[in-house]
Amino acid sequence: MISVNDFRTGLTIEVDGDIWRVIEFQHVKPGKGAAFVRSKLRNLRTGAIQEKTFRAGEKVSKAQIDNRKMQYLYANGDQHVFMDMESYEQIELPAKQIEHELKFLKENMEVFIMMYQGETIGVELPNTVELKVVETEPGIKGDTASGGSKPATLETGLVVQVPFFVNEGDVLIINTTDGTYVSRA
């Protein structure tokens, strides 16, 4: 058991029979009444995001998640195949379960597969990934003074806003939590 006062981003908890990851949390101490913790949680089985409020000091179960290092191999229809780096065992995950992560996955990329009591519940990506720009409008000289941005389509199909100096063929570093441009690689 863990107190909600000890919440931190990335913590995995079990509430109402489901497994949740803490995305955001905020301790609130109103002038009148008891303190509480307002949190934003992601359901690791369904991917749904829910806001939940806990009383200060309330206890919740901490979910023990095992992370296994695996390599993303390929897409097989609606299934995506991953291989364990030690045992060479292969598992398939449905596209619906890893919808957010698919925007950043490239073949042969190493990721962690989250397991809970033998059940595969998702993919944990690195904080940043390097992706190649496959389509973007050419930057026009003199456009950078305003510090604007333009859309760029990356090799996985993800569309991000990038500075005007980025061209097709450039490799960019992308933040996987919110899908934003960080820098050129």
Side-chain angles (χ1 to χ4, degrees):
M1 297 295 271
I2 187 168
S3 170
V4 296
N5 298 339
D6 298 329
F7 270 14
R8 61 187 189 283
T9 304
L11 179 72
T12 311
I13 59 172
E14 192 173 350
V15 179
D16 303 329
D18 270 326
I19 306 154
W20 302 86
R21 171 159 284 156
V22 178
I23 299 172
E24 293 176 11
F25 65 97
Q26 179 182 19
H27 294 278
V28 180
K29 297 177 184 163
K32 184 177 180 183
F36 57 92
V37 177
R38 186 177 294 133
S39 62
K40 189 183 266 189
L41 307 172
R42 170 179 277 130
N43 186 320
L44 293 181
R45 287 190 177 117
T46 64
I49 294 176
Q50 181 179 10
E51 292 195 10
K52 202 160 180 66
T53 304
F54 299 93
R55 292 186 307 277
E58 194 174 333
K59 301 271 188 200
V60 294
S61 297
K62 185 176 181 196
Q64 186 60 45
I65 303 293
D66 297 321
N67 285 329
R68 290 173 55 190
K69 191 172 194 165
M70 294 200 172
Q71 184 178 36
Y72 175 61
L73 295 180
Y74 57 89
N76 183 11
D78 194 34
Q79 298 289 318
H80 295 270
V81 181
F82 294 84
M83 179 182 68
D84 191 312
M85 300 298 286
E86 294 168 11
S87 68
Y88 301 108
E89 169 192 350
Q90 293 185 4
I91 62 166
E92 291 187 358
L93 292 177
K96 183 176 178 258
Q97 188 176 2
I98 57 172
E99 204 169 344
H100 170 73
E101 291 83 357
L102 283 176
K103 300 174 195 167
F104 307 101
L105 278 176
K106 292 193 303 186
E107 288 185 2
N108 302 322
M109 184 178 186
E110 291 184 7
V111 295
F112 285 99
I113 299 291
M114 297 180 291
M115 309 283 276
Y116 177 71
Q117 298 177 348
E119 172 192 1
T120 305
I121 55 174
V123 175
E124 189 169 309
L125 295 167
N127 291 335
T128 58
V129 293
E130 291 184 5
L131 297 173
K132 187 176 181 181
V133 177
V134 292
E135 184 184 333
T136 188
E137 299 165 10
I140 299 162
K141 193 173 178 111
D143 272 356
T144 57
S146 63
S149 61
K150 62 182 180 179
T153 305
L154 306 177
E155 60 188 303
T156 60
L158 178 68
V159 177
V160 294
Q161 293 295 320
V162 298
F164 286 120
F165 59 79
V166 172
N167 298 314
E168 285 183 25
D170 288 355
V171 177
L172 307 180
I173 297 175
I174 305 296
N175 182 341
T176 57
T177 50
D178 55 7
T180 56
Y181 165 85
V182 176
S183 68
R184 282 199 282 198

